[in-house]
């Protein structure tokens, strides 16, 4: 702290006694957590998973209320998958990792470890079992480790802080996100397990309706004293993160909020940031979003391919209403692509016809207005006209689109006058050098195009400096995969934080991770099979155009809690009707 600024230890009567009480409880709870064996910790996570499954309907109902989703909306599938499903699967994989460590085995003992570009070691995290192969057929994900980490080292170091479970890390403060309801609980679990820190979770006011459900879900950890849940405004969050009892801070939000926490606000905050002299005197990790590109590599597509991939891109923008840190904001295409006009027409149609929903996230209308002020020629689309499409830009007009995270239903298109390898090279360069943030990038390409590029595909994946890269999939699949890493590309600093510092999720507790690569099918089944792609996944349940998304995602969640061969036919039947 700078001279003259009040800290919790120098004030008189506390303005936030509930925070002080929570931190006192956690100081005692840290000792209880330290005494808990790895097996006991795994059992606690199993109990959290079971409670999440039992409260899943209440969880989705609470989310639907503040997100203004009708009870019959297919879009409720988003709340099942990015809510209780994500927490159940994370608890199960984390518990499995702890049980491996408890018997002296690495969490990677049974993992499929391979090699990637640049001599990197890779760990397959999807599929992880036969059920993944059946339910997400055609999708895969692997974590790439930093160059120089070999397979033996990866196995030896997996486990992170749980390799020394009695050496706890103090109290971590987690500032929850206001958009996706699993973010705050997943971040809490990661602090508790990966870093061995007990957690004071401060909810974002937008998600305060989730408090009763989360208290019920986390009851085993609350009873132990390892977790406390707090609510309130920015003043509560500020008091918490600057409290002397807090050893570490993790936040999800915007870089503006990050800088306010780390450096302060106003002119003094700007000066501290410029001088890189933080106001916050404990370490901070963060996930901060950014402007996510979708690189569409030109090829020869059928009309059905064009329609499907247009819906795919629109899903990447409109999932959760457009309020996602990794929502696609800019589509990068070739102006020389013979099917450019057909694709843009399909994109416009898909953006216009996607199911309508009310904006729920604070400031959305202001951000949409800002985008339209930046681009007066933008189109207003959607049943209520609340969506914005920015296209037909001159190259000198790109800047605002690439450097402003609108965090709203705003989608832009920029064009590069190349094809083939030259297009790929320029799209990669632009994504790395001109876009703000490094959280996620999506690449869409016909299988024949990927085949013609050959080894250049691996070179492209290696060159893209993003925390999650999705090839013919959405980076959101990486978020939903418990053992995948989630976070910015390594290397950001406090004074230039971009999409943040550190990772979360990573339920195999892999050390020195660099990025996650997600792959998916170019076409849905049955068309994929007819065209020789041999994948069985129909239109994914996270597509905003999926008509049975709510039913399918609810069944996915129940299956994740209690896998059963008998449950598979009902899931498949619902998925195929989507």
């Amino acid at each position: 702290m700078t001279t003259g600024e009040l800290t919790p230890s120098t004030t008189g009567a506390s303005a936030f006694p509930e925070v002080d009480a929570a931190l006192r409880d956690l100081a005692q709870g840290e000792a209880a957590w330290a005494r808990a064996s790895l097996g006991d910790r795994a059992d606690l996570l199993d109990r959290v998973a079971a409670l999440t499954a039992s409260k899943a309907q209440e969880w989705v109902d609470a989310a639907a209320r503040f997100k203004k989703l009708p009870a019959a909306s297919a879009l409720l599938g988003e709340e099942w998958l990015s809510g209780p499903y994500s927490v159940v699967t994370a608890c199960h994989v984390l518990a499995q990792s702890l049980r491996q460590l408890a018997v002296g085995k690495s969490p990677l003992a049974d993992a499929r470890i391979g090699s990637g570009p640049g001599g990197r070691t890779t760990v397959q995290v999807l599929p992880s079992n036969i059920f993944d192969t059946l339910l997400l057929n055609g999708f895969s994900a692997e974590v790439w480790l930093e160059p120089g980490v070999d397979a033996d080292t990866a196995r030896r170091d997996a486990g992170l802080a749980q390799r020394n479970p009695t050496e706890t890390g103090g109290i971590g403060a987690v500032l929850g996100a206001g958009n996706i309801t699993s973010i705050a609980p997943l971040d809490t679990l990661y602090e508790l397990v990966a870093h061995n820190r007990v957690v004071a979770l401060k909810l974002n006011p937008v998600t305060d309706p989730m408090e009763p459900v989360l208290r019920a879900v986390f009851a085993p950890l609350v009873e132990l004293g390892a977790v406390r849940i707090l609510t309130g405004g920015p003043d509560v969050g500020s008091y918490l993160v600057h409290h002397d009892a807090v050893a570490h801070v993790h936040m999800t939000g915007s870089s503006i909020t990050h800088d306010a926490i780390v450096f302060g606000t106003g002119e003094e905050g700007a000066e501290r940031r410029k001088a890189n002299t933080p106001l916050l005197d404990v370490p901070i990790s963060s996930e901060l979003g950014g402007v996510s590109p979708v690189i569409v590599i030109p090829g020869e597509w059928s009309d059905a391919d064009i329609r499907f991939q247009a819906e795919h891109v629109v899903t990447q923008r409109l999932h959760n209403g457009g309020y996602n840190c990794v929502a696609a904001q800019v589509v990068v295409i070739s102006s020389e692509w013979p099917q450019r006009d057909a694709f843009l027409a399909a994109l416009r149609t898909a953006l216009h016809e996607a199911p309508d929903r009310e904006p729920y996230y604070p400031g959305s209308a202001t951000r949409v207005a800002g985008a339209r002020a930046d681009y007066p020629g933008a189109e207003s689309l959607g049943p209520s006209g609340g969506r914005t499409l920015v296209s037909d830009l001159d190259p000198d007009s790109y800047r605002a689109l690439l450097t402003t995270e609108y965090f709203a239903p705003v989608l832009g298109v920029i064009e590069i006058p190349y094809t083939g390898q030259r297009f790929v090279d320029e799209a990669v360069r632009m994504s790395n050098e001109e876009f703000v943030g490094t959280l996620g990038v999506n690449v869409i390409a016909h299988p024949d195009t990927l085949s013609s590029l050959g080894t250049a595909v691996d070179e492209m994946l290696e060159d893209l400096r993003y925390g999650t890269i999705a090839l013919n999939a959405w980076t959101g699949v990486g978020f939903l995969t418990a053992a995948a890493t989630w976070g910015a590309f390594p290397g950001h600093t406090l004074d230039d934080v971009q999409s943040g510092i550190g990772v979360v999720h990573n339920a195999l507790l892999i050390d020195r991770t660099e990025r996650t690569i997600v792959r998916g099918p170019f076409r849905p089944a049955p068309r994929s099979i007819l065209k020789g792609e041999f994948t069985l996944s129909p239109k994914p349940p996270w597509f905003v155009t999926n008509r049975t998304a709510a039913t399918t995602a609810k069944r996915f969640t129940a299956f994740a809690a209690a896998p059963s061969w008998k449950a598979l036919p009902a899931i498949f039947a619902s998925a195929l009707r989507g």
Side-chain angles (χ1 to χ4, degrees), residues 375-398:
Y375 298 102
E379 299 174 69
S380 296
L381 298 172
S384 58
R387 299 165 190 161
T388 299
L389 179 64
V390 181
S391 60
D392 297 321
L393 296 177
D394 295 325
D396 59 1
S397 302
Y398 292 166

Side-chain angles (χ1 to χ4, degrees), residues 107-115 121-128 133 141-143 155 508:
L108 298 183
D110 302 319
R112 180 175 295 180
I113 296 181
S115 60
T121 295
T122 65
V123 180
Q124 180 178 297
V125 294
L126 180 72
S128 62
T133 302
E142 59 185 16
V143 174
R155 290 190 185 94
L508 294 178

Side-chain angles (χ1 to χ4, degrees), residues 158-465:
L160 300 178
Q162 294 302 317
R163 295 172 63 227
N164 297 292
T166 60
E167 296 180 13
T168 51
I171 299 172
V174 171
L175 302 183
N179 54 346
I180 296 296
T181 57
S182 66
I183 291 177
L186 289 175
D187 291 351
T188 297
L189 292 171
Y190 197 69
E191 277 287 292
L192 187 64
V193 179
H195 299 295
N196 216 22
R197 287 189 280 263
V198 293
V199 180
L201 167 61
K202 160 66 174 62
L203 297 180
N204 186 298
V206 175
T207 64
D208 278 355
M210 297 298 304
E211 181 194 8
V213 175
L214 293 179
R215 286 193 185 279
V217 163
F218 275 126
L221 297 171
V222 171
E223 291 167 6
L224 184 70
V227 171
R228 286 293 181 268
I229 300 174
L230 299 164
T231 59
D235 51 349
V236 175
S238 179
Y239 182 83
L240 171 65
V241 300
H242 292 287
H243 200 291
D244 288 346
V246 169
H248 182 273
V249 175
H250 177 80
M251 65 158 293
T252 302
S254 71
S255 59
I256 295 172
T257 302
H258 171 274
D259 289 349
I261 291 170
V262 174
F263 298 107
T265 58
E267 292 184 6
E268 290 186 8
E271 287 299 318
R272 289 192 193 98
R273 182 174 180 272
K274 184 177 179 181
N276 196 18
T277 54
L279 178 65
L280 186 71
D281 55 8
V282 297
I284 182 171
S285 56
S286 52
E287 190 265 86
L288 307 175
V291 177
S292 293
V294 184
I295 300 171
V296 179
I297 302 177
E300 188 174 343
W301 297 10
S302 69
D303 291 344
D305 294 337
I306 289 173
R307 288 193 299 273
F308 177 76
Q309 292 300 343
E311 290 183 31
H312 193 186
V313 172
V314 166
T315 289
Q316 295 172 21
R317 174 67 268 182
L318 295 185
H319 182 278
N320 195 39
Y323 313 118
N324 284 339
C325 290
V326 77
Q329 181 166 300
V330 180
V331 186
V332 183
I333 66 171
S334 167
S335 60
E336 298 181 15
W337 185 22
Q339 295 177 295
R340 166 200 176 274
D341 291 345
F343 179 74
L344 289 181
L347 189 67
R348 184 176 289 106
T349 298
L351 190 62
H352 182 69
E353 295 182 353
D356 200 16
R357 65 182 296 169
E358 290 188 59
Y360 77 89
Y361 205 85
S364 178
T366 300
R367 291 188 294 276
V368 170
R372 292 178 179 174
D374 290 335
Y375 298 102
E379 299 174 69
S380 296
L381 298 172
S384 58
R387 299 165 190 161
T388 299
L389 179 64
V390 181
S391 60
D392 297 321
L393 296 177
D394 295 325
D396 59 1
S397 302
Y398 292 166
R399 180 168 175 76
L401 196 60
L402 309 189
T403 58
T404 305
E405 183 187 8
Y406 289 115
F407 209 72
V410 176
L411 183 65
V413 178
I414 64 174
E415 301 182 28
I416 298 174
Y418 308 118
T419 58
Q421 186 63 54
R422 190 174 182 188
F423 171 85
V424 173
D425 292 343
E426 179 60 11
V428 169
R429 185 204 64 78
M430 287 189 69
S431 298
N432 286 339
E433 298 177 9
E434 298 185 34
F435 283 70
V436 165
T438 65
L439 185 61
V441 59
N442 311 277
V443 181
I444 297 172
H446 192 286
D448 291 346
T449 302
L450 294 175
S451 179
S452 69
L453 289 170
T455 59
V457 176
D458 281 346
E459 293 171 4
M460 172 185 67
L461 297 177
E462 181 181 16
D463 290 342
L464 283 165
R465 297 193 295 272

